[in-house]
Amino acid sequence: MSNDPSAGDGLPGPGADALEANRRYLGAVAYRLLGSFTDAEDVLQDAWLRWRAADRSEIADPRAFLTTVVTRLCYDQLGSARARRESYVGEWLPEPSVSHQDSSTAPAELAELGESVSLALLTVLEQLTPAERAAFVLHDVFAVGFDEMVGFDEIAATLDRTPEATRQLASRARRKVRVGGRRATADPAEHRRAVEAFAAAATGGDILGLMAVLDPEVAWHADGGGIVRAATRPVVGADRVARLVLGIVARWFTPGADIRPALVNGEPGLLWHDDAGTVGGVLAFTVAGGRITDAYVVVNPEKLARVTRVTVTS
């Protein structure tokens, strides 16, 4: 079971057939553009209203029409979202998508797109302008159109830009993603081993074990939203992160609390449950060379409300 809006409960009212048929895809586009399930669901509801009011006889390709509607709605939201995030307390991280540890139960769109939905990539996308993000997500992640020129023509129309300007947006976004991205392995087994080693060392109070699984330049990113105590800036360096983790575990781990493995945005991660069984934190990681290069820790309860409704088993 997943908390991804693209696998939601359906849309109200009659005549939602095309939107419903493409809901998984449209929800995935909206989430990658906005990094928020709540905002993505709002966009899908607005898209449904526009689809219901549209003259269907003039729509040759419902999927393309709906992609344009969803992208424009997201584009409009991104400007105000950036302003809100500038006043956000601490680091802003995307809302996590959580599913069972067993990869066979991962949402289809996560399994198909792999790292294109990882918290690491979504966090890097926050550095892009709204136009760059839209061009990158539509062209590089979803490959709108069947060849490069068709793809850029469609995206250009959506963004009210020329195809060449849109191509430049995507190229600029691609460079920023490469520069802002961290080293990461494509080997899920290696990734999982590192996460398991991290969990064992953290819960066992083993600082040497933590140091062994952390990259020397590891960065710890935390999102408490000013609601829950969390580092407001990245903590960098294996020694500093290891000591921070042990301090957090000492504070978090009351009797009955535990850490459970789960897939976080399609990759091996961890959930922390308190002694009442409520999810208190979601941890995602990037791994390279068998060591953790980044940790993304979401403890803002407003971003965990959906996760508490997901049953995650070890």
Short mmCIF file of all heavy atoms in Angstrom, two decimals, residues 175-224:
data_model
loop_
_atom_site.label_atom_id
_atom_site.label_comp_id
_atom_site.label_asym_id
_atom_site.label_seq_id
_atom_site.Cartn_x
_atom_site.Cartn_y
_atom_site.Cartn_z
N ARG A 175 21.98 20.66 -16.13
CA ARG A 175 23.29 21.01 -15.58
C ARG A 175 23.20 21.25 -14.07
O ARG A 175 24.06 20.81 -13.31
CB ARG A 175 23.85 22.25 -16.28
CG ARG A 175 24.30 22.02 -17.71
CD ARG A 175 25.16 23.17 -18.21
NE ARG A 175 24.43 24.45 -18.19
CZ ARG A 175 23.70 24.89 -19.21
NH1 ARG A 175 23.59 24.17 -20.31
NH2 ARG A 175 23.09 26.07 -19.13
N LYS A 176 22.15 21.96 -13.65
CA LYS A 176 21.99 22.23 -12.22
C LYS A 176 21.77 20.94 -11.43
O LYS A 176 22.27 20.79 -10.31
CB LYS A 176 20.81 23.19 -12.00
CG LYS A 176 21.06 24.61 -12.48
CD LYS A 176 19.86 25.50 -12.17
CE LYS A 176 20.09 26.93 -12.61
NZ LYS A 176 18.92 27.79 -12.31
N VAL A 177 21.03 20.01 -12.01
CA VAL A 177 20.79 18.74 -11.33
C VAL A 177 22.10 17.97 -11.19
O VAL A 177 22.38 17.38 -10.14
CB VAL A 177 19.74 17.91 -12.10
CG1 VAL A 177 19.69 16.48 -11.57
CG2 VAL A 177 18.36 18.56 -11.97
N ARG A 178 22.92 17.99 -12.26
CA ARG A 178 24.21 17.28 -12.19
C ARG A 178 25.11 17.90 -11.13
O ARG A 178 25.75 17.20 -10.35
CB ARG A 178 24.91 17.31 -13.55
CG ARG A 178 24.37 16.32 -14.55
CD ARG A 178 25.37 16.10 -15.69
NE ARG A 178 25.64 17.33 -16.41
CZ ARG A 178 24.99 17.72 -17.49
NH1 ARG A 178 24.01 16.99 -17.98
NH2 ARG A 178 25.31 18.85 -18.11
N VAL A 179 25.14 19.22 -11.08
CA VAL A 179 26.01 19.90 -10.12
C VAL A 179 25.49 19.71 -8.70
O VAL A 179 26.25 19.48 -7.76
CB VAL A 179 26.11 21.40 -10.46
CG1 VAL A 179 26.82 22.16 -9.35
CG2 VAL A 179 26.85 21.60 -11.79
N GLY A 180 24.18 19.80 -8.53
CA GLY A 180 23.60 19.73 -7.19
C GLY A 180 23.41 18.33 -6.66
O GLY A 180 23.21 18.14 -5.46
N GLY A 181 23.45 17.35 -7.56
CA GLY A 181 23.23 15.97 -7.13
C GLY A 181 24.43 15.41 -6.40
O GLY A 181 25.56 15.85 -6.57
N ARG A 182 24.17 14.40 -5.57
CA ARG A 182 25.23 13.74 -4.82
C ARG A 182 25.51 12.37 -5.44
O ARG A 182 24.69 11.79 -6.14
CB ARG A 182 24.80 13.56 -3.36
CG ARG A 182 24.58 14.86 -2.64
CD ARG A 182 25.86 15.43 -2.08
NE ARG A 182 26.28 14.69 -0.90
CZ ARG A 182 27.39 14.91 -0.24
NH1 ARG A 182 28.23 15.84 -0.64
NH2 ARG A 182 27.70 14.22 0.85
N ARG A 183 26.72 11.87 -5.15
CA ARG A 183 27.07 10.54 -5.64
C ARG A 183 26.08 9.51 -5.10
O ARG A 183 25.75 9.52 -3.93
CB ARG A 183 28.48 10.17 -5.20
CG ARG A 183 29.56 10.99 -5.86
CD ARG A 183 30.93 10.57 -5.38
NE ARG A 183 31.11 10.82 -3.95
CZ ARG A 183 31.33 9.88 -3.06
NH1 ARG A 183 31.37 8.62 -3.41
NH2 ARG A 183 31.51 10.19 -1.78
N ALA A 184 25.61 8.65 -5.98
CA ALA A 184 24.66 7.62 -5.55
C ALA A 184 24.86 6.37 -6.38
O ALA A 184 25.19 6.43 -7.57
CB ALA A 184 23.23 8.11 -5.69
N THR A 185 24.66 5.22 -5.77
CA THR A 185 24.79 3.96 -6.47
C THR A 185 23.47 3.58 -7.11
O THR A 185 22.40 3.98 -6.65
CB THR A 185 25.21 2.84 -5.50
OG1 THR A 185 25.33 1.62 -6.23
CG2 THR A 185 24.17 2.64 -4.41
N ALA A 186 23.54 2.81 -8.18
CA ALA A 186 22.32 2.31 -8.81
C ALA A 186 22.03 0.89 -8.34
O ALA A 186 21.10 0.26 -8.83
CB ALA A 186 22.48 2.34 -10.33
N ASP A 187 22.80 0.36 -7.41
CA ASP A 187 22.66 -1.01 -6.94
C ASP A 187 21.75 -1.06 -5.71
O ASP A 187 22.17 -0.66 -4.62
CB ASP A 187 24.04 -1.58 -6.60
CG ASP A 187 23.97 -3.03 -6.13
OD1 ASP A 187 22.86 -3.58 -6.07
OD2 ASP A 187 25.03 -3.59 -5.80
N PRO A 188 20.50 -1.52 -5.86
CA PRO A 188 19.58 -1.55 -4.71
C PRO A 188 20.08 -2.41 -3.56
O PRO A 188 19.85 -2.08 -2.39
CB PRO A 188 18.29 -2.12 -5.31
CG PRO A 188 18.39 -1.84 -6.78
CD PRO A 188 19.85 -1.96 -7.10
N ALA A 189 20.77 -3.51 -3.87
CA ALA A 189 21.26 -4.39 -2.81
C ALA A 189 22.31 -3.67 -1.96
O ALA A 189 22.31 -3.76 -0.73
CB ALA A 189 21.84 -5.67 -3.41
N GLU A 190 23.20 -2.95 -2.61
CA GLU A 190 24.23 -2.19 -1.89
C GLU A 190 23.59 -1.09 -1.05
O GLU A 190 23.97 -0.86 0.11
CB GLU A 190 25.21 -1.58 -2.88
CG GLU A 190 26.32 -0.75 -2.24
CD GLU A 190 27.24 -0.13 -3.29
OE1 GLU A 190 27.54 -0.82 -4.28
OE2 GLU A 190 27.62 1.04 -3.12
N HIS A 191 22.59 -0.46 -1.63
CA HIS A 191 21.86 0.59 -0.93
C HIS A 191 21.21 0.02 0.34
O HIS A 191 21.32 0.58 1.44
CB HIS A 191 20.80 1.18 -1.86
CG HIS A 191 20.11 2.39 -1.35
ND1 HIS A 191 20.07 3.57 -2.05
CD2 HIS A 191 19.41 2.63 -0.21
CE1 HIS A 191 19.40 4.48 -1.37
NE2 HIS A 191 18.96 3.92 -0.24
N ARG A 192 20.55 -1.11 0.19
CA ARG A 192 19.84 -1.72 1.32
C ARG A 192 20.81 -2.16 2.41
O ARG A 192 20.54 -1.97 3.60
CB ARG A 192 19.00 -2.91 0.84
CG ARG A 192 18.22 -3.60 1.93
CD ARG A 192 17.18 -4.53 1.35
NE ARG A 192 16.21 -3.77 0.58
CZ ARG A 192 15.24 -4.34 -0.14
NH1 ARG A 192 15.14 -5.65 -0.22
NH2 ARG A 192 14.38 -3.59 -0.80
N ARG A 193 21.94 -2.71 2.03
CA ARG A 193 22.93 -3.15 3.03
C ARG A 193 23.43 -1.96 3.85
O ARG A 193 23.60 -2.06 5.08
CB ARG A 193 24.11 -3.85 2.35
CG ARG A 193 23.80 -5.27 1.88
CD ARG A 193 25.07 -6.01 1.51
NE ARG A 193 25.78 -5.39 0.40
CZ ARG A 193 25.56 -5.70 -0.88
NH1 ARG A 193 24.64 -6.59 -1.19
NH2 ARG A 193 26.26 -5.11 -1.84
N ALA A 194 23.66 -0.84 3.19
CA ALA A 194 24.14 0.34 3.90
C ALA A 194 23.08 0.85 4.87
O ALA A 194 23.38 1.23 6.00
CB ALA A 194 24.53 1.43 2.91
N VAL A 195 21.82 0.85 4.44
CA VAL A 195 20.73 1.32 5.31
C VAL A 195 20.57 0.39 6.50
O VAL A 195 20.39 0.83 7.64
CB VAL A 195 19.42 1.42 4.51
CG1 VAL A 195 18.24 1.73 5.44
CG2 VAL A 195 19.53 2.50 3.43
N GLU A 196 20.66 -0.91 6.27
CA GLU A 196 20.55 -1.88 7.37
C GLU A 196 21.70 -1.71 8.36
O GLU A 196 21.50 -1.79 9.58
CB GLU A 196 20.52 -3.30 6.81
CG GLU A 196 19.22 -3.62 6.06
CD GLU A 196 19.27 -4.97 5.36
OE1 GLU A 196 20.39 -5.55 5.26
OE2 GLU A 196 18.21 -5.45 4.90
N ALA A 197 22.90 -1.48 7.84
CA ALA A 197 24.06 -1.28 8.72
C ALA A 197 23.89 0.00 9.54
O ALA A 197 24.23 0.04 10.72
CB ALA A 197 25.34 -1.23 7.89
N PHE A 198 23.36 1.03 8.91
CA PHE A 198 23.11 2.29 9.61
C PHE A 198 22.11 2.07 10.74
O PHE A 198 22.33 2.52 11.88
CB PHE A 198 22.57 3.33 8.63
CG PHE A 198 22.12 4.61 9.28
CD1 PHE A 198 22.99 5.67 9.45
CD2 PHE A 198 20.79 4.76 9.71
CE1 PHE A 198 22.57 6.85 10.05
CE2 PHE A 198 20.36 5.93 10.31
CZ PHE A 198 21.25 6.98 10.48
N ALA A 199 21.01 1.38 10.46
CA ALA A 199 19.97 1.15 11.47
C ALA A 199 20.52 0.33 12.64
O ALA A 199 20.26 0.64 13.81
CB ALA A 199 18.78 0.44 10.84
N ALA A 200 21.30 -0.70 12.33
CA ALA A 200 21.85 -1.55 13.39
C ALA A 200 22.82 -0.76 14.27
O ALA A 200 22.77 -0.86 15.50
CB ALA A 200 22.55 -2.75 12.76
N ALA A 201 23.68 0.03 13.65
CA ALA A 201 24.65 0.81 14.43
C ALA A 201 23.96 1.90 15.24
O ALA A 201 24.31 2.14 16.40
CB ALA A 201 25.69 1.41 13.49
N ALA A 202 22.96 2.56 14.64
CA ALA A 202 22.28 3.64 15.34
C ALA A 202 21.53 3.13 16.56
O ALA A 202 21.64 3.70 17.66
CB ALA A 202 21.32 4.35 14.39
N THR A 203 20.76 2.07 16.38
CA THR A 203 19.96 1.55 17.51
C THR A 203 20.84 0.84 18.53
O THR A 203 20.45 0.71 19.69
CB THR A 203 18.88 0.59 17.01
OG1 THR A 203 19.48 -0.47 16.23
CG2 THR A 203 17.86 1.33 16.15
N GLY A 204 22.02 0.40 18.11
CA GLY A 204 22.93 -0.27 19.03
C GLY A 204 23.91 0.67 19.71
O GLY A 204 24.75 0.23 20.50
N GLY A 205 23.82 1.97 19.39
CA GLY A 205 24.74 2.93 20.00
C GLY A 205 26.18 2.74 19.58
O GLY A 205 27.11 3.07 20.31
N ASP A 206 26.38 2.21 18.39
CA ASP A 206 27.72 1.84 17.90
C ASP A 206 28.28 2.97 17.03
O ASP A 206 28.03 3.01 15.82
CB ASP A 206 27.61 0.54 17.11
CG ASP A 206 28.95 0.07 16.55
OD1 ASP A 206 29.98 0.71 16.84
OD2 ASP A 206 28.94 -0.95 15.82
N ILE A 207 29.03 3.87 17.61
CA ILE A 207 29.54 5.00 16.85
C ILE A 207 30.57 4.57 15.81
O ILE A 207 30.63 5.13 14.71
CB ILE A 207 30.14 6.09 17.79
CG1 ILE A 207 30.40 7.38 16.99
CG2 ILE A 207 31.42 5.60 18.47
CD1 ILE A 207 30.70 8.57 17.84
N LEU A 208 31.36 3.54 16.11
CA LEU A 208 32.33 3.06 15.12
C LEU A 208 31.61 2.42 13.94
O LEU A 208 32.03 2.58 12.79
CB LEU A 208 33.29 2.06 15.77
CG LEU A 208 34.23 2.63 16.84
CD1 LEU A 208 35.13 1.53 17.40
CD2 LEU A 208 35.08 3.76 16.25
N GLY A 209 30.52 1.71 14.23
CA GLY A 209 29.73 1.13 13.16
C GLY A 209 29.11 2.20 12.28
O GLY A 209 29.05 2.07 11.05
N LEU A 210 28.65 3.28 12.90
CA LEU A 210 28.10 4.40 12.13
C LEU A 210 29.18 5.04 11.27
O LEU A 210 28.97 5.33 10.08
CB LEU A 210 27.50 5.44 13.07
CG LEU A 210 26.08 5.21 13.57
CD1 LEU A 210 25.70 6.27 14.59
CD2 LEU A 210 25.09 5.22 12.41
N MET A 211 30.33 5.28 11.85
CA MET A 211 31.42 5.90 11.10
C MET A 211 31.81 5.05 9.90
O MET A 211 32.17 5.58 8.85
CB MET A 211 32.62 6.10 12.02
CG MET A 211 32.39 7.10 13.15
SD MET A 211 32.40 8.81 12.58
CE MET A 211 34.14 9.03 12.19
N ALA A 212 31.70 3.75 10.05
CA ALA A 212 32.10 2.84 8.97
C ALA A 212 31.13 2.90 7.79
O ALA A 212 31.53 2.66 6.64
CB ALA A 212 32.19 1.41 9.49
N VAL A 213 29.86 3.20 8.05
CA VAL A 213 28.87 3.19 6.97
C VAL A 213 28.59 4.59 6.44
O VAL A 213 27.89 4.75 5.44
CB VAL A 213 27.56 2.53 7.45
CG1 VAL A 213 26.74 3.47 8.35
CG2 VAL A 213 26.72 2.05 6.26
N LEU A 214 29.16 5.62 7.07
CA LEU A 214 28.95 6.99 6.61
C LEU A 214 30.12 7.46 5.76
O LEU A 214 31.29 7.25 6.11
CB LEU A 214 28.80 7.94 7.80
CG LEU A 214 27.58 7.73 8.71
CD1 LEU A 214 27.65 8.66 9.91
CD2 LEU A 214 26.28 7.95 7.93
N ASP A 215 29.82 8.08 4.64
CA ASP A 215 30.85 8.69 3.82
C ASP A 215 31.52 9.81 4.63
O ASP A 215 30.85 10.49 5.41
CB ASP A 215 30.21 9.27 2.56
CG ASP A 215 31.22 9.84 1.60
OD1 ASP A 215 31.74 9.08 0.77
OD2 ASP A 215 31.48 11.07 1.67
N PRO A 216 32.83 10.02 4.47
CA PRO A 216 33.49 11.09 5.24
C PRO A 216 32.83 12.46 5.07
O PRO A 216 32.85 13.27 5.99
CB PRO A 216 34.92 11.09 4.67
CG PRO A 216 35.12 9.69 4.19
CD PRO A 216 33.79 9.25 3.67
N GLU A 217 32.23 12.72 3.90
CA GLU A 217 31.57 14.00 3.65
C GLU A 217 30.05 13.88 3.67
O GLU A 217 29.34 14.69 3.06
CB GLU A 217 32.02 14.56 2.30
CG GLU A 217 33.51 14.82 2.21
CD GLU A 217 33.97 15.81 3.27
OE1 GLU A 217 33.25 16.81 3.50
OE2 GLU A 217 35.04 15.59 3.87
N VAL A 218 29.53 12.91 4.39
CA VAL A 218 28.09 12.71 4.46
C VAL A 218 27.38 13.98 4.92
O VAL A 218 27.91 14.75 5.73
CB VAL A 218 27.75 11.54 5.42
CG1 VAL A 218 28.21 11.84 6.84
CG2 VAL A 218 26.26 11.22 5.39
N ALA A 219 26.18 14.22 4.39
CA ALA A 219 25.38 15.38 4.79
C ALA A 219 24.04 14.89 5.35
O ALA A 219 23.38 14.04 4.74
CB ALA A 219 25.15 16.32 3.62
N TRP A 220 23.66 15.46 6.48
CA TRP A 220 22.40 15.11 7.15
C TRP A 220 21.43 16.28 6.94
O TRP A 220 21.68 17.40 7.34
CB TRP A 220 22.68 14.90 8.64
CG TRP A 220 21.49 14.62 9.51
CD1 TRP A 220 20.69 15.54 10.13
CD2 TRP A 220 21.00 13.33 9.90
NE1 TRP A 220 19.74 14.90 10.87
CE2 TRP A 220 19.89 13.55 10.75
CE3 TRP A 220 21.39 12.02 9.61
CZ2 TRP A 220 19.17 12.49 11.32
CZ3 TRP A 220 20.67 10.97 10.17
CH2 TRP A 220 19.58 11.20 11.01
N HIS A 221 20.31 15.99 6.26
CA HIS A 221 19.29 17.00 5.97
C HIS A 221 18.04 16.66 6.78
O HIS A 221 17.54 15.53 6.69
CB HIS A 221 18.94 17.01 4.48
CG HIS A 221 20.12 17.10 3.58
ND1 HIS A 221 20.62 18.30 3.11
CD2 HIS A 221 20.92 16.13 3.05
CE1 HIS A 221 21.66 18.07 2.33
NE2 HIS A 221 21.87 16.78 2.27
N ALA A 222 17.53 17.61 7.54
CA ALA A 222 16.37 17.33 8.39
C ALA A 222 15.29 18.37 8.17
O ALA A 222 15.58 19.56 7.98
CB ALA A 222 16.79 17.30 9.86
N ASP A 223 14.05 17.93 8.21
CA ASP A 223 12.90 18.81 8.03
C ASP A 223 11.94 18.62 9.20
O ASP A 223 11.20 17.63 9.26
CB ASP A 223 12.20 18.48 6.71
CG ASP A 223 10.99 19.37 6.43
OD1 ASP A 223 10.51 20.04 7.36
OD2 ASP A 223 10.51 19.36 5.28
N GLY A 224 11.98 19.58 10.13
CA GLY A 224 11.04 19.57 11.24
C GLY A 224 9.98 20.63 11.10
O GLY A 224 9.01 20.67 11.87
#
